[in-house]
Amino acid sequence: MSLLRATARHGVLLCLIASPTLAAEPDLSAAAVNGAVFDGTAPDTAERSALAIKTQVLLDRLHFSPGVIDGYWGENVAKAIAAYEEANGLQADGQLDSEVWAKLTAAGDADIITIYTLSDADLKEPYVDEIPEDYAAMAQLERLSFTGPAEMLAERFHMDRKLFDLLNPDAAFDQPGVPLTVTGTGDAKPQGKAATIVISRSSGSLRALDAEEKLLAFYPVSVGSDSVPSPTGTHTIKNVVPMPNYAYRPEVNFQQGQLTENLMIPPGPNGPVGSVWIGLDKPTYGIHGTAEPSPIGKHFSHGCARLTNWDAEELATLVAPGITVTFVD
């Protein structure tokens, strides 16, 4: 409780309110996250929590992507829960409850937080010092790689970089053998092949459905704005390209600042279209990854459908040229 007291300074009576005791930082240790249990209380949306991390990892493992795993109860988590509820015949309100929790944990909840050992290969990846924002400067690079092993590993384990750093505050990346705390997202792929993709502009979501309209995977997605809209109606996939170059054509796509020159920007996970391009039959439009996973599902794109790199890579294993992509409101 704050304390009110009066004191005199330079002849003026001042009322001072003592600062309240700051709340303790949430426990995000491996023991806390792995042992987190939903107790029926509505989650606190204001801060990271062990329960939020565990829920995000469980959803991610089941291919109901919460986007980046950051430990917060954000809108992408609510979207993923709602899709999971709908797929399991539950009321799709996007709220974590006992029924949802029981189903999520029944699929297995071991090793939500685990230890990864830094390898020699991790240290030898072709990193770059920094990624310029200007496309003309990007075009001068050989590759738009990760900027270091921390960024690379955060993405490999679908983590927000801030959460990765929080869980590994004293980690050194100078030699192999360093133990790192990471999320246990696993590498299991969705079963089956997609027959159609449905992208909702209003909810910022993408659903991959098989021939029987069974949901194979759900992802948050950023779509076009009113000024640079996404396509409408139904289209087909033209090609699937891993690690694509990006052809910057300001007269065709959009213009970055005052840059009017056509450019070929090199590939890499930090490129404008990330690690995967799934092109549509509508020229210049596609589904692709991104260098910045945190805003996915929350901010607009330049007309295309943008996913996190790992979700785009997973989607690429489900699709092939010729399947339909339908944009709905």
Side-chain angles (χ1 to χ4, degrees), residues 154-204:
E155 181 152 311
R156 180 185 298 178
F157 295 102
H158 307 178
M159 299 171 68
D160 173 53
R161 176 62 189 277
K162 292 179 181 178
L163 178 61
F164 180 88
D165 291 344
L166 186 64
L167 297 182
N168 299 282
D170 302 315
F173 296 92
D174 54 358
Q175 60 183 350
V178 174
L180 299 167
T181 301
V182 299
T183 51
T185 50
D187 55 6
K189 302 301 181 186
Q191 297 298 308
K193 290 293 183 180
T196 187
I197 303 297
V198 178
I199 298 175
S200 169
R201 288 189 292 268
S202 59
S203 66

Side-chain angles (χ1 to χ4, degrees), residues 79 198-207 218-221 223:
K79 292 178 189 178
V198 178
I199 298 175
S200 169
R201 288 189 292 268
S202 59
S203 66
S205 65
L206 183 153
R207 287 171 165 80
F218 171 92
Y219 310 110
V221 62
V223 294

Side-chain angles (χ1 to χ4, degrees), residues 114-172:
T114 187
I115 298 298
Y116 174 81
T117 302
L118 188 68
S119 72
D120 189 56
D122 295 332
L123 296 173
K124 291 182 177 179
E125 284 221 0
Y127 300 115
V128 296
D129 291 334
E130 62 179 356
I131 302 295
E133 293 184 5
D134 181 72
Y135 279 4
M138 280 187 183
Q140 300 304 309
L141 300 178
E142 181 178 345
R143 185 177 175 83
L144 294 168
S145 306
F146 292 115
T147 56
E151 183 187 27
M152 181 271 292
L153 290 171
E155 181 152 311
R156 180 185 298 178
F157 295 102
H158 307 178
M159 299 171 68
D160 173 53
R161 176 62 189 277
K162 292 179 181 178
L163 178 61
F164 180 88
D165 291 344
L166 186 64
L167 297 182
N168 299 282
D170 302 315

